[in-house]
Amino acid sequence: MPGQMKILEYDVLVIGGGIAGGESALNLANLGYNVLLVEKELSIGGKMILLSKVFPTLDCGACITTPKISEIARHPNITIFTGAEIRIITKKGEHLFEAIVSQNPRYVNIDDCTGCQLCEEACPVSVIDEYQYGLVGRKAAYIPFSIASPRAAAIDIENCTLCGACERVCPTQCIDFTQTVEEFLVKVKSVVVATGFELFDPLKIPRYGYDKFKNVTTAMHMERQLSPTRPFNSILRPGDGKLPDNIAYVLCAGSRDKSVGNPICSQVCCMYSIKQAQLLMGALPMADVTIYYLHIRAFGKGFNEFYAQSQDMGVEFIKGKIGKITEKENGNLILRYEDIEKGKVTEAEHDMVVLSIGLLPNQGISDVFDNETLQLDPFHFVDQSDILASPAKTSIEGVFVAGTASGPMDIPDSILSGGAASAETTSYLRRAAL
Amino acid sequence: MEVEKGKTAKYLKAKRPVPKDVTEQLKSFTKSKKLLLNTLMESEKTVPQLAEELKLPGDEVLFQLMTLLKYGLVETGEIDDMDEYFYYKIKSNGKDKS
Ligand SMILES: Cc1cc2nc3c(=O)[nH]c(=O)nc-3n(C[C@H](O)[C@H](O)[C@H](O)COP(=O)(O)OP(=O)(O)OC[C@H]3O[C@@H](n4cnc5c(N)ncnc54)[C@H](O)[C@@H]3O)c2cc1C
Ligand code: SF4
């Protein structure tokens, strides 16, 4: 009940701590506004912090993200809630929104946690590591990943046996199983929605055999395998740990496909696949990489050159539509496809297939708005009500959108969009002050 | 209520019993960990060799093995003659602290 809740006041509430939300928060904070950044995961950084290298520069993802993330985390004008949820947002009037925010217990006092990982070592429980996309296990007492921010332990209470081993070894006694959900009533003048995207679930295309054939994997799994904080000792095919030497990419898996409910282009899959192909050729010099595509979307600055570079490196591009994937006894995969240029149906064998899965809207955020409607576009991304003149504007005055919450885009565009959202928010806040 | 720092698990245990599937999952992990480590104790092995010996699917063996590698109980050995599969072995100074 609001009467019993702690009341907090900020200028802006930013929902989502990915690169777009982070950029908005940082710009606003640098202009002197007080920002509350609410992130549902245990770390800020969004998907970007889990990427290997990024196109088109091939810079290390973590090396770009980490300094920005630590600037956000250390900024005196930014308060961060991780592992937190927005329950409801009500517009109370011009420049006044009230949000109810639930802070879920982490069972660790993050200010006291040194990230020593002794609790991890002591914990006997092992469950699937969601931050490694299920490729390895993690403990019930765990640091989400090595470059997480905050780099503090958390207890996965759903899987905890309450044996207390973590507490006994914790040198700072920061583990606290008496923590409970805390609810806050947050009053703000403006809101930035930066809730990002979801990944397409490849189970929706049964003919690709994902999950049934263990050597059919997704590009997000490959990002983890290519990252310096990779789950395996090397790049291995997931079915039996073989070093792959003939890898296929299937583009547009779950994008531009009405039959799976996503008719639009995901914008980044061509480029991230070309990036991964280059990285694979560097990591596995003997490997062949083939990309099956319908069209290559290389529209950004330096993208076409990046595409040409991959061709020069020996990546094979086949304009082909995959009909079906089947598995051989040795785990290799047979791709039956229509070779569009040759005009015939043919087959090819690969020892690993990577599905370049698309970017979907992260639905749900519109439901938290109580007395106003956050309009969605026909594809369920947050609608940009004045896309040409004011790209961050939404259907609710004072609520702005940043990054992939408004549609698929790459990192540079997400940062630009975060910048636009902060500029439009500033102009809205300035109007309040006049 | 005066909370005893460093011994707080008991308060939650008193309020909320540990679900059965959680204890079952712990048992199953402990069992497969022992099995895998015992098999590697005999000699270093590749994933297909472990899968055959333990009668488990290769993907499950890889998951468990990579988890033990992450926990510092297993280490990577040489690659086989065909340059296809790595051998894995018990980590010489790896101690199970859980
Ligand atoms: C496999 C793959 C590889 C890629 N490689 C590249 C590349 O090389 N170069 C490139 O430019 N782009 C790449 N991209 C695209 C890049 O990931 C995105 O452009 C970028 O992550 C978008 O950032 P964002 O902040 O909009 O969204 P996200 O990264 O999705 O961040 C959104 C954040 O909001 C949080 N959130 C969601 N809902 C809520 C809620 N209700 N309350 C609180 N928090 C919430 C999420 O937990 C998340 O932290 C790649 C994408 C994929 C899938
Ligand atoms: S109390 Fe829970 S988290 Fe801590 S060691 Fe035991 S099982 Fe792991």
Side-chain angles (χ1 to χ4, degrees):
Chain A
M1 252 180 291
Q4 297 163 342
M5 280 181 222
K6 196 167 168 193
I7 298 174
L8 303 172
E9 281 188 45
Y10 299 92
D11 294 311
V12 186
L13 166 66
V14 176
I15 313 171
I19 195 67
E23 179 71 15
S24 295
L26 200 54
N27 290 338
L28 288 161
N30 284 337
L31 287 169
Y33 294 111
N34 281 313
V35 179
L36 175 65
L37 179 61
V38 174
E39 168 55 54
K40 71 174 166 59
E41 294 293 332
L42 293 170
S43 167
I44 56 170
K47 313 273 191 315
M48 186 181 169
I49 205 166
L50 298 170
L51 298 180
S52 53
K53 294 194 174 177
V54 291
F55 68 76
T57 54
L58 288 187
D59 281 312
C60 145
C63 312
I64 308 173
T65 327
T66 319
K68 195 151 223 162
I69 292 301
S70 70
E71 202 183 337
I72 296 164
R74 285 199 323 260
H75 203 294
N77 293 345
I78 303 179
T79 304
I80 301 173
F81 283 4
T82 49
E85 284 167 62
I86 310 282
R87 295 246 169 262
I88 196 165
I89 300 176
T90 311
K91 187 162 184 182
K92 290 286 184 181
E94 259 312 281
H95 298 98
L96 179 59
F97 293 84
E98 281 186 5
I100 296 179
V101 181
S102 296
Q103 171 68 75
N104 296 318
R106 193 176 178 117
Y107 301 102
V108 171
N109 292 314
I110 53 173
D111 293 339
D112 297 335
C113 178
T114 60
C116 69
Q117 292 181 289
L118 288 173
C119 57
E120 263 186 22
E121 278 180 25
C123 177
V125 175
S126 183
V127 290
I128 286 173
D129 185 345
E130 60 275 50
Y131 293 103
Q132 292 283 16
Y133 287 84
L135 292 170
V136 277
R138 63 151 171 83
K139 297 297 185 78
Y142 67 114
I143 289 182
F145 47 92
S146 59
I147 52 169
S149 175
R151 195 179 179 282
I155 307 292
D156 171 358
I157 210 69
E158 301 294 322
N159 289 300
C160 170
T161 59
L162 296 174
C163 68
C166 50
E167 278 195 293
R168 287 193 288 278
V169 295
C170 177
T172 64
Q173 297 196 321
C174 68
I175 295 170
D176 180 2
F177 283 97
T178 66
Q179 285 183 357
T180 51
V181 177
E182 259 188 289
E183 295 221 311
F184 299 93
L185 175 69
V186 181
K187 295 184 180 199
V188 293
K189 297 181 185 130
S190 181
V191 178
V192 174
V193 175
T195 44
F197 64 97
E198 294 280 349
L199 290 164
F200 175 75
D201 176 2
L203 287 174
K204 288 194 180 145
I205 311 182
R207 65 177 202 282
Y208 288 167
Y210 179 72
D211 197 39
K212 191 166 153 207
F213 309 141
K214 300 299 173 191
N215 295 323
V216 176
T217 187
T218 76
M220 199 64 213
H221 290 102
M222 189 52 94
E223 280 297 327
R224 292 310 309 144
Q225 287 225 42
L226 286 163
S227 146
T229 52
R230 62 168 65 112
F232 302 161
N233 56 301
S234 173
I235 293 154
L236 302 176
R237 65 175 197 174
D240 61 357
K242 179 178 175 282
L243 266 180
D245 62 14
N246 186 2
I247 304 157
Y249 275 80
V250 176
L251 299 197
C252 299
S255 308
R256 305 168 70 205
D257 184 351
K258 274 193 190 144
S259 71
V260 294
N262 187 31
I264 62 169
C265 169
S266 287
Q267 312 268 337
V268 295
C269 336
C270 284
M271 292 310 292
Y272 76 52
S273 303
I274 292 172
K275 166 192 78 177
Q276 291 189 359
Q278 293 192 21
L279 295 174
L280 279 167
M281 297 195 93
L284 306 168
M286 303 309 286
D288 292 323
V289 185
T290 308
I291 296 185
Y292 293 87
Y293 70 99
L294 294 174
H295 301 99
I296 293 291
R297 302 274 162 102
F299 52 86
K301 191 173 174 183
F303 288 11
N304 213 42
E305 292 73 14
F306 192 65
Y307 173 29
Q309 179 176 300
S310 67
Q311 288 170 308
D312 291 345
M313 285 172 78
V315 177
E316 196 185 348
F317 286 82
I318 296 180
K319 192 172 172 72
K321 200 171 165 55
I322 308 296
K324 198 173 178 180
I325 298 175
T326 48
E327 187 184 41
K328 283 179 65 177
E329 212 168 296
N330 64 0
N332 283 359
L333 300 144
I334 305 292
L335 271 68
R336 191 173 169 76
Y337 68 98
E338 181 194 341
D339 189 321
I340 295 169
E341 259 151 22
K342 293 190 182 139
K344 61 171 190 176
V345 174
T346 182
E347 288 187 345
E349 182 171 337
H350 295 274
D351 61 2
M352 190 171 171
V353 171
V354 183
L355 302 176
S356 300
I357 50 173
L359 276 56
L360 298 184
N362 178 11
Q363 296 187 47
I365 194 63
S366 58
D367 299 339
V368 305
F369 288 90
D370 178 26
N371 57 345
E372 299 260 347
T373 306
L374 184 70
Q375 208 74 50
L376 301 181
D377 69 15
F379 311 108
H380 308 289
F381 288 96
V382 175
D383 191 44
Q384 294 158 283
S385 62
D386 192 1
I387 193 167
L388 293 178
S390 185
K393 202 170 164 191
T394 70
S395 57
I396 308 175
E397 219 201 331
V399 177
F400 300 93
V401 63
T404 51
S406 67
M409 64 182 85
D410 60 16
I411 293 161
D413 282 353
S414 298
I415 294 175
L416 275 170
S417 166
S422 56
E424 290 184 39
T425 306
T426 308
S427 138
Y428 175 78
L429 293 173
R430 289 273 157 92
R431 266 182 277 145
L434 288 177
Chain B
M1 179 183 65
E2 185 70 25
V3 172
E4 214 177 335
K5 256 191 155 188
K7 290 180 182 173
T8 61
K10 62 183 179 200
Y11 298 105
L12 193 55
K13 217 171 185 171
K15 273 211 282 192
R16 198 207 73 160
V18 175
K20 204 161 182 252
D21 59 322
V22 170
T23 41
E24 288 303 320
Q25 141 74 22
L26 171 59
K27 271 192 214 153
S28 135
F29 167 67
T30 313
K31 198 173 144 198
S32 60
K33 176 172 76 177
K34 265 196 197 138
L35 258 172
L36 221 103
L37 292 178
N38 285 343
T39 317
L40 286 178
M41 204 81 87
E42 297 156 13
S43 66
E44 52 180 60
K45 291 189 174 67
T46 64
V47 173
Q49 287 170 344
L50 281 164
E52 201 185 317
E53 203 162 325
L54 298 169
K55 308 255 172 304
L56 284 172
D59 63 303
E60 269 179 42
V61 170
L62 182 70
F63 176 86
Q64 290 174 11
L65 195 65
M66 291 302 124
T67 301
L68 298 184
L69 190 92
K70 173 177 168 182
Y71 298 162
L73 301 175
V74 165
E75 62 187 344
T76 312
E78 299 286 306
I79 194 154
D80 67 6
D81 294 342
M82 304 290 289
D83 278 349
E84 286 188 330
Y85 295 98
F86 284 99
Y87 283 95
Y88 297 95
K89 52 187 176 183
I90 302 273
K91 195 165 179 179
S92 39
N93 58 352
K95 256 199 265 145
D96 191 358
K97 297 190 180 123
S98 61

